[in-house]
């Protein structure tokens, strides 16, 4: 099985998240800190777990 | 790659003049891609239209010796240099872009996307094609010269990891060196005229030279035999010539007959090539997606949607991010990740460093009937409310709710005004005089200006979470 590119997955998820956040901010003009302070760490955990899972299954 | 000047308009695959068909045939790509690219260029201020017309006029069709321009001018322009035509077309593109770019509102983004597609999808893949095989390279004049030269100085040693081929080459080089050394030490001196006995090699049975450099080796006497060159009929020279013939044989000891290791070494390169091919295709798909997204945003912008530059950049970043996610399984082509990181910086910079005008909210009212029923609500920024033109005929209330920032209200002169404020943290000012400051400020200020009794009163109901309330008279 071809080895999966974990770096691409992690950076892809991060860039996608940043892009969606920027689009949301541009469209609504509001970034609620109460939401961000939960969404950012949860997103980082999800990205890390996804990278770990892909790196394990890709070996 | 053949010259771009050899492009001919296609007569078999043509929609209008065969320009796209001819270009696609020259580049060996799908004509649809070329036509899509032309459409993108046409949206870039009409540059594509100019280029198409120029190609129609200047590029001959299949089987034609002259271009349309030559036919129209009866050959008077056929002697014009190419540089002149390039300059004319460039100026025409520039003028057209300047004139029509504002009308299309698409700007130069399609041209940029097209250039990226062309560079990463076509040009870069062409210039990175594998080099010709080694036997072709050795046939080049410079390499041939080195073969003809006698082996002098430090021998070349392959710097990379050893392979069966390099080991065979090293063994062959060592053998040649031994032969040279043998000819020098025990060889055919003019004093003895004796040759060394070698049971495995007989000058009479030496194979005929078949290698490309055979003639050079054949005529080269080693070591002290150089003096024998002056006497081509001497037995010493014949011995040296036979030895050189043996060395000039293509594969006298079978060093190059084992082909199995070569096949094993070639397998990973094919797999790598397959991976990079899918990655390159994914990169192309991503670039096309970027173009389509930008095109959609531009159309929405034309139709009146508030599409800001940061939305363009964020949309491109979104496509790049999704492309990277897909690259997890399809392979990551070179350049996607740096472009994504660069776009991230651009998006963050554009989001943070917004123009000051986007934080400035101005409201201007001339009558109380224009006052909104609900409070004017602004999340952040500087709010400027101009009430100087309001002619108050009855009591009225203007209400505003600001999250973070400052609100500055200019009241009508000679009017009774009451300020009801609620400030979470900040300051309340009247004509640059501080009325209250600190946290949890709530209250109703005295009438700021009492012109006459029994006159209607304007009440300002202002709520600010963090910031400043300033009333100017």
């Amino acid at each position: 099985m071809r080895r999966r590119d974990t770096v691409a997955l992690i950076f892809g998820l991060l860039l996608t998240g940043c892009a969606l956040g920027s689009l949301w901010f541009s469209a609504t003009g509001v970034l609620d800190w109460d939401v961000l302070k939960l969404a950012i760490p949860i997103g980082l955990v999800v990205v890390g777990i996804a990278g770990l899972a892909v790196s394990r299954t890709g070996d | 790659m053949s010259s771009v000047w050899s492009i001919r308009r296609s007569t078999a695959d043509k929609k209008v003049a065969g320009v796209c068909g001819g270009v696609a045939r020259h580049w060996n790509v799908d004509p649809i891609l070329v036509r899509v690219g032309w459409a993108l260029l046409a949206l870039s201020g009409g540059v594509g239209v100019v280029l198409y017309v120029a190609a129609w006029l200047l590029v001959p069709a299949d089987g034609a010796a002259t271009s349309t321009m030559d036919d129209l001018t009866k050959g008077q322009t056929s002697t014009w240099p190419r540089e002149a035509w390039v300059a004319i077309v460039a100026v025409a593109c520039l003028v057209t872009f300047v004139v029509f770019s504002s009308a299309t509102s698409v700007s130069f983004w399609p041209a940029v996307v097209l250039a990226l597609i062309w560079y990463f999808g076509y040009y870069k893949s062409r210039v990175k094609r594998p080099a010709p095989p080694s036997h072709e390279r050795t046939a080049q004049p410079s390499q041939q010269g080195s073969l003809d030269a006698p082996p002098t100085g430090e021998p070349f040693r392959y710097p990379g990891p050893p392979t069966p081929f390099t080991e065979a080459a090293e063994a062959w080089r060592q053998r040649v060196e031994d032969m040279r050394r043998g000819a020098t030490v025990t060889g055919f001196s003019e004093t003895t005229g004796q040759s060394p006995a070698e049971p495995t090699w007989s000058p009479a049975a030496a194979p005929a030279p078949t290698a490309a450099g055979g003639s050079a080796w054949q005529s080269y006497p080693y070591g002290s035999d150089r003096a024998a060159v002056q006497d081509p009929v001497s037995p010493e020279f014949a011995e040296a010539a036979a030895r050189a013939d043996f060395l000039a044989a293509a594969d006298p000891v079978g060093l190059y007959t084992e082909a199995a290791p070569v096949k094993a070494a070639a397998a990973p390169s094919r797999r790598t090539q397959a991976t990079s091919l899918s990655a390159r295709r994914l990169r192309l798909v991503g670039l096309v997606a970027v173009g389509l997204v930008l095109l959609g945003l531009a159309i929405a912008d034309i139709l009146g949607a508030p599409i800001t530059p940061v939305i363009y950049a964020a949309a491109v970043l979104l496509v790049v991010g999704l492309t990277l996610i897909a690259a997890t399984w399809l392979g990551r082509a070179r350049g996607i990740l740096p472009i994504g990181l660069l776009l991230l910086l651009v998006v963050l910079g554009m989001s943070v460093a917004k123009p000051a005008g986007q934080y400035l909210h101005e409201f201007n009212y001339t009558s109380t009937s224009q006052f909104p029923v609900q409070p004017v609500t602004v999340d952040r920024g500087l709010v400027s409310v101009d009430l100087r033109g309001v002619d108050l005929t009855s009591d009225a209330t203007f209400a505003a709710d600001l999250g973070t920032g400052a609100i500055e209200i200019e009241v009508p002169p000679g009017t009774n005004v009451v300020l009801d404020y609620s400030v979470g943290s900040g300051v309340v000012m009247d004509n640059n005089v501080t009325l209250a400051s600190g946290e949890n400020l709530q209250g109703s200020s005295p009438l700021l200006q009492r012109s006459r009794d029994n006159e209607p009163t304007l009440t300002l109901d202002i709520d600010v979470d963090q910031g400043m309330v300033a009333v100017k008279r």
Side-chain angles (χ1 to χ4, degrees):
Chain A
M1 186 170 62
R2 179 185 300 170
R3 183 179 179 85
R4 291 168 184 169
D5 193 343
T6 310
V7 176
L9 176 69
I10 292 175
F11 278 93
L13 289 174
L14 289 177
L15 294 184
T16 302
C18 291
L20 290 175
S22 179
L23 285 174
W24 172 263
F25 181 66
S26 300
T28 65
V30 176
L31 276 182
D32 193 349
W33 173 244
D34 292 335
V35 176
L36 284 181
K37 66 185 178 185
L38 291 177
I40 289 177
I42 290 175
L44 290 176
V45 169
V46 169
V47 168
I49 291 176
L52 282 175
V54 168
S55 65
R56 284 178 60 85
T57 57
D59 287 339
Chain B
M1 192 182 301
S2 59
S3 169
V4 70
W5 304 109
S6 63
I7 294 179
R8 292 292 181 270
R9 288 189 288 116
S10 175
T11 55
D13 183 11
K14 59 184 296 186
K15 300 297 182 186
V16 180
V19 173
C20 294
V23 172
R25 180 183 57 194
H26 179 77
W27 285 345
N28 194 25
V29 296
D30 195 328
I32 295 177
L33 291 178
V34 179
R35 292 189 173 105
V36 170
W38 171 80
L40 289 174
L41 270 181
L43 290 173
S44 292
V47 172
V49 177
V50 174
L51 291 177
Y52 195 94
V53 173
W56 189 353
L57 292 175
L58 301 176
V59 176
D62 285 336
T66 58
S67 64
T68 306
M69 179 63 77
D70 292 337
D71 296 339
L72 292 175
T73 60
K74 295 182 173 55
Q76 293 180 354
T77 58
S78 60
T79 57
W80 288 21
R82 287 172 177 170
E83 290 77 7
W85 288 116
V86 171
I88 291 173
V89 173
V91 170
C93 289
L94 185 62
V95 171
T96 306
F97 179 79
V98 170
V99 172
F100 292 103
S101 61
S102 59
T104 58
S105 300
V106 185
S107 185
F108 55 88
W109 283 107
V112 173
V113 172
L114 186 64
L116 290 174
I117 291 176
W118 175 82
Y119 179 74
F120 288 106
Y122 178 79
Y123 179 77
K124 205 168 184 180
S125 62
R126 286 295 181 96
V127 300
K128 284 192 173 181
R129 279 185 170 178
S134 58
H135 67 275
E136 295 180 8
R137 290 199 302 269
T138 54
Q140 296 174 1
S142 59
Q143 299 289 336
Q144 186 68 30
S146 64
L147 285 178
D148 290 341
T152 57
E154 189 66 20
F156 171 77
R157 297 189 185 278
Y158 181 61
T163 64
F165 179 80
T166 58
E167 291 178 354
E170 176 62 20
W172 177 249
R173 189 200 62 77
Q174 188 63 41
R175 184 175 179 83
V176 171
E177 190 67 24
D178 293 343
M179 297 296 286
R180 285 187 57 203
R181 191 174 297 109
T184 303
V185 176
T186 64
F188 323 105
S189 65
E190 294 179 356
T191 55
T192 61
Q194 299 295 322
S195 63
E198 291 194 16
T200 59
W201 171 71
S202 172
T210 56
S215 59
W217 287 100
Q218 191 176 9
S219 61
Y220 179 70
Y222 299 111
S224 60
D225 289 348
R226 292 183 179 180
V229 174
Q230 300 174 357
D231 186 6
V233 297
S234 66
E236 291 84 358
F237 179 81
E239 188 78 7
R243 187 184 297 270
D245 288 345
F246 174 78
L247 295 176
D251 189 12
V253 293
L255 287 173
Y256 305 105
T257 56
E258 297 180 2
V262 178
K263 290 182 179 177
S269 65
R270 284 198 298 270
R271 188 173 61 184
T272 304
Q273 184 179 6
T275 301
S276 61
L277 178 62
S278 63
R280 287 200 301 269
R281 285 177 176 171
L282 175 64
R283 184 170 55 189
L284 277 177
V285 170
L287 287 173
V288 172
V290 167
L292 292 177
V293 166
L294 289 177
L295 191 60
L297 289 175
I299 292 174
D301 196 1
I302 293 172
L303 294 178
I307 307 297
T308 58
V310 69
I311 292 181
Y312 282 99
V316 175
L317 180 63
L318 178 62
V319 174
V320 172
L322 295 176
T323 304
L324 275 174
I325 293 176
T328 305
W329 292 272
L330 298 177
R332 172 164 46 101
R334 188 181 301 174
I336 295 182
L337 186 55
I339 288 176
L341 294 176
L342 185 63
L343 274 173
L344 178 64
L345 294 177
V346 171
V347 169
L348 292 179
M350 293 174 72
S351 299
V352 173
K354 278 180 143 184
Q358 295 194 19
Y359 290 105
L360 180 61
H361 308 274
E362 294 182 333
F363 302 92
N364 188 5
Y365 303 100
T366 56
S367 69
T368 56
S369 61
Q370 296 175 343
F371 287 178
V373 177
Q374 299 295 328
V376 174
T377 303
V378 175
D379 183 64
R380 66 191 184 282
L382 176 62
V383 180
S384 175
V385 181
D386 187 358
L387 303 178
R388 289 175 297 177
V390 173
D391 186 12
L392 207 62
T393 56
S394 62
D395 290 348
T397 299
F398 174 80
D401 188 354
L402 173 64
T404 302
I407 181 169
E408 183 181 88
I409 305 170
E410 295 182 86
V411 297
T415 304
N416 297 327
V417 177
V418 173
L419 175 61
D420 290 338
Y421 58 86
S422 173
V423 179
S425 175
V427 61
V428 180
M429 303 185 71
D430 171 32
N431 261 356
N432 298 325
V433 177
T434 301
L435 296 179
S437 63
E439 296 185 352
N440 298 323
L441 307 176
Q442 289 185 346
S444 178
S445 75
L447 299 180
L448 294 175
Q449 54 184 29
R450 185 187 300 272
S451 58
R452 294 177 294 272
D453 293 335
N454 300 325
E455 287 289 328
T457 300
L458 173 63
T459 302
L460 304 176
D461 185 5
I462 308 301
D463 188 355
V464 176
D465 292 340
Q466 294 175 331
M468 180 180 71
V469 178
V471 177
K472 283 192 173 181
R473 290 179 282 156

